[in-house]
Amino acid sequence: MDYTLVVALEMIRAIAWLVLLASGLAIIFGMMRIINFAHGEFLMLGGYTVVISTNAGVNEWVSILILAPVVVGVFGIIVERLVIQRLYGRILDSLLATWGLSMLMMGGVTMIFGNTVQGVSTPFGGMKIGAYQVPIYNFVLIGFAVLVLVAIWCVLKFTKAGLIARATMQNADMAEALGIRTRWVYMTTFGIGSAITGLAGGLLAPVTGVVPTMGMNLVGQSFITVITGGASVIAGTLSSATLLGTISQGVTFLTGPVYGDAALLVSALVLLRLLPQGITGRIFKRSL
């Protein structure tokens, strides 16, 4: 019984992990159709913000919940103004530009901090479930994954800003004709997506540690989750994270983490072969 509960908790944690990784990208790629190949480095920037500020004496939770999203969000707005705004509708160009940005960020961070793992202590310690020790921080990650999805859903569903954002992404010319300043909508949307990515990077820093190359390990999981989910930001991210996270963690428990990562990739390939438009391209078509 205890083992079954621990396995279930680990599967839920794996789902929460994918949700946190993919939520910011789901906004930028799912809504704006911009392939932000520097997404992993945005996560890295959030992690380094937490490490640097915490080592400087700032409270760890202030670093995670305030500084990481603000720093990465502002950085995202600067990137959007200087680079991305010229690349809307040019998917291949946006991929190449953000790939170059990711290389630049990785090299710059390596020059400043070196290629060594840095980190902060994991809050709260652990709790015992029978003979097993489970980190309490896993429940924190699960809680924040739920909060992020609920917050995005509420903004898109119930606020004027969310309505304007969805209208702009669906038909920018019509929105412009109706007096909406689409440039500012794009900038704000990219900044919010970046801020959510920074929050995710900050939340994951105590678990993964922070190293300049960490983005290379995380960007693949993020894109797999978003593309498999399809165009819907909420339903797509949640459904693909649930399916892929459950399969990956189940295989991990049976065989090991290497085979778990391979199972995630194979599952995504099979799903995209069966559902080329993603899960929400066939199911939950009208959902957010």
Side-chain angles (χ1 to χ4, degrees):
M1 179 64 182
D2 294 337
Y3 179 76
T4 304
L5 180 58
V6 169
V7 171
L9 287 174
E10 283 300 306
M11 287 185 174
I12 296 172
R13 182 203 58 80
I15 295 168
W17 173 282
L18 291 177
V19 166
L20 290 172
L21 286 181
S23 292
L25 184 64
I27 292 174
I28 293 173
F29 178 66
M31 292 182 64
M32 303 175 68
R33 314 312 296 175
I34 288 292
I35 301 178
N36 181 17
F37 219 73
H39 177 74
E41 281 61 46
F42 281 42
L43 290 164
M44 173 197 68
L45 183 59
Y48 268 104
T49 301
V50 170
V51 170
I52 294 169
S53 55
T54 302
N55 291 339
V58 179
N59 179 272
E60 187 172 351
W61 287 109
V62 174
S63 301
I64 292 173
L65 300 181
I66 298 177
L67 293 183
V70 168
V71 169
V72 181
V74 171
F75 181 77
I77 289 173
I78 294 172
V79 169
E80 196 278 339
R81 289 290 87 189
L82 296 179
V83 180
I84 301 299
Q85 69 165 330
R86 297 169 174 81
L87 302 176
Y88 291 120
R90 298 159 57 187
I91 293 180
L92 182 59
D93 292 341
S94 70
L95 186 153
L96 293 174
T98 54
W99 177 77
L101 176 63
S102 73
M103 295 295 104
L104 178 64
M105 292 177 66
M106 194 186 309
V109 171
T110 302
M111 289 176 59
I112 296 172
F113 298 105
N115 196 25
T116 57
V117 178
Q118 303 183 45
V120 293
S121 60
T122 304
F124 303 127
M127 63 177 289
K128 290 186 71 65
I129 299 179
Y132 303 95
Q133 188 82 2
V134 178
I136 297 176
Y137 194 67
N138 285 355
F139 297 96
V140 175
L141 294 179
I142 294 168
F144 273 104
V146 173
L147 285 176
V148 166
L149 285 181
V150 170
I152 295 173
W153 180 75
C154 288
V155 170
L156 292 177
K157 183 75 172 177
F158 299 113
T159 68
K160 182 179 179 180
L163 180 63
I164 290 173
R166 286 189 287 143
T168 301
M169 303 312 161
Q170 290 177 10
N171 193 328
D173 292 335
M174 181 62 72
E176 190 79 38
L178 293 173
I180 297 172
R181 300 182 67 181
T182 55
R183 289 179 56 209
W184 296 107
V185 175
Y186 282 124
M187 181 189 71
T188 303
T189 304
F190 195 91
I192 291 173
S194 300
I196 293 173
T197 302
L199 173 63
L203 285 168
L204 298 178
V207 179
T208 62
V210 181
V211 68
T213 56
M214 65 180 289
M216 297 174 60
N217 301 322
L218 300 176
V219 69
Q221 297 179 41
S222 305
F223 269 102
I224 286 172
T225 304
V226 172
I227 294 172
T228 304
S232 173
V233 176
I234 304 298
T237 301
L238 182 59
S239 59
S240 62
T242 301
L243 185 59
L244 297 177
T246 301
I247 293 172
S248 175
Q249 197 62 37
V251 174
T252 296
F253 269 104
L254 293 174
T255 59
V258 174
Y259 290 102
D261 291 340
L264 184 147
L265 179 59
V266 171
S267 301
L269 290 173
V270 171
L271 277 171
L272 290 175
R273 180 66 182 87
L274 298 175
L275 305 171
Q277 301 300 317
I279 295 173
T280 54
R282 182 71 62 85
I283 311 168
F284 311 124
K285 286 186 177 181
R286 298 181 179 275
S287 57
L288 285 176

